[in-house]
Amino acid sequence: THLKQLNDKRLAQNLPPFFTRIGINTGTAFIGNLGTNERMDYTAIGDCVNLASRLQNLNKIYHTKILIGEDTKTELASAFVLRPLDIVEVRGKKNTTKIYELIGTLSKDPDTQASPEQIELASLFTSAYNTYEQQALVSAKTQFQSIQAKFPDYQPPQLYLERLSSGAPPHTPPKD
C-alpha cells in the first residue's frame, strides 16, 4: 500500500515508478563483521542467505514482488496469504526448491492485509498449480486460462500456459 502511494505520487510528478523485488528465506546464517582491520564488512553468509538472494532475482522471471522459500512458508503459513509458485533449481544448490509468492497478511491491518481479490486469486492459482503438479495437464491448462482471463495483469498463469503449449515436462524448473 505504501509503495503504491509512493508510485502514485511519482507518476503525478512525471517520475518513473519505483519497483522492489524481495526474496525471503529462513535458516541459519553467520552475521557480523568479517574481514581484517584494513577491510571490514558487516555481512550475512550462509546457504539460506544465498537462497534469499536467488529468490529475489527470480521475481524478474515470474513478475512478482516477494518470493519466499519452503522453510519460510512453514513459519508464515497461518498468518499470511501465500500461493505456491513453482519448483526451481537455483545456482549453488543441488536440489530443487519449492517457492511461494507472499501476497499479504490475514490480519485486519489495512496496510498489509490481503484484499478479497488477492485471496481469490491465491485460491484459484493454488488449485491450478496443484492440478498441474498432479500432472492433470488438460485440466490445469483450463484453470490457468480461466485465471488469465479473470486476472489479465497477473503473469504466472502465462508462464504455465507457455510450458503446457510447448510440451515441456511438467517439472522443468526455470534456472535463475
Side-chain angles (χ1 to χ4, degrees):
T1 302
H2 295 292
L3 185 58
K4 183 181 178 340
Q5 291 171 354
L6 171 67
N7 283 332
D8 289 346
K9 287 179 186 176
R10 291 179 61 81
L11 290 172
Q13 297 169 349
N14 291 324
L15 295 170
F18 180 75
F19 295 103
T20 60
R21 295 184 184 104
I22 300 169
I24 302 172
N25 195 44
T26 301
T28 303
F30 294 99
I31 300 172
N33 289 318
L34 299 174
T36 65
N37 288 336
E38 290 80 35
R39 185 177 171 132
M40 186 73 61
D41 190 22
Y42 186 80
T43 192
I45 59 173
D47 189 49
C48 66
V49 176
N50 293 338
L51 181 55
S53 175
R54 303 290 187 237
L55 293 173
Q56 184 268 330
N57 288 328
L58 284 170
N59 279 295
K60 293 176 193 174
I61 293 171
Y62 295 98
H63 303 275
T64 52
K65 295 178 183 156
I66 304 173
L67 292 179
I68 65 171
E70 184 77 30
D71 292 336
T72 305
K73 181 253 184 198
T74 302
E75 298 290 326
L76 297 181
S78 64
F80 288 82
V81 176
L82 309 170
R83 65 179 148 242
L85 196 54
D86 209 347
I87 297 172
V88 298
E89 182 180 315
V90 295
R91 282 177 296 184
K93 290 187 72 73
K94 293 179 183 176
N95 298 326
T96 57
T97 302
K98 191 166 186 177
I99 62 172
Y100 299 82
E101 183 178 11
L102 190 147
I103 307 303
T105 67
L106 291 170
S107 76
K108 300 296 181 202
D109 180 353
D111 288 335
T112 61
Q113 181 183 25
S115 70
E117 183 179 72
Q118 290 172 317
I119 293 169
E120 178 186 10
L121 176 55
S123 177
L124 292 171
F125 190 87
T126 298
S127 177
Y129 176 84
N130 290 338
T131 302
Y132 177 85
E133 204 170 54
Q134 295 164 1
Q135 298 190 24
L137 304 182
V138 173
S139 181
K141 183 175 183 178
T142 301
Q143 288 177 311
F144 285 124
Q145 288 171 331
S146 176
I147 294 167
Q148 189 176 43
K150 188 165 187 169
F151 300 96
D153 294 335
Y154 185 60
Q155 297 292 318
Q158 181 61 38
L159 183 138
Y160 280 94
L161 290 169
E162 288 170 7
R163 280 186 199 172
L164 289 162
S165 295
S166 73
H171 292 291
T172 305
K175 294 185 179 185
D176 72 317

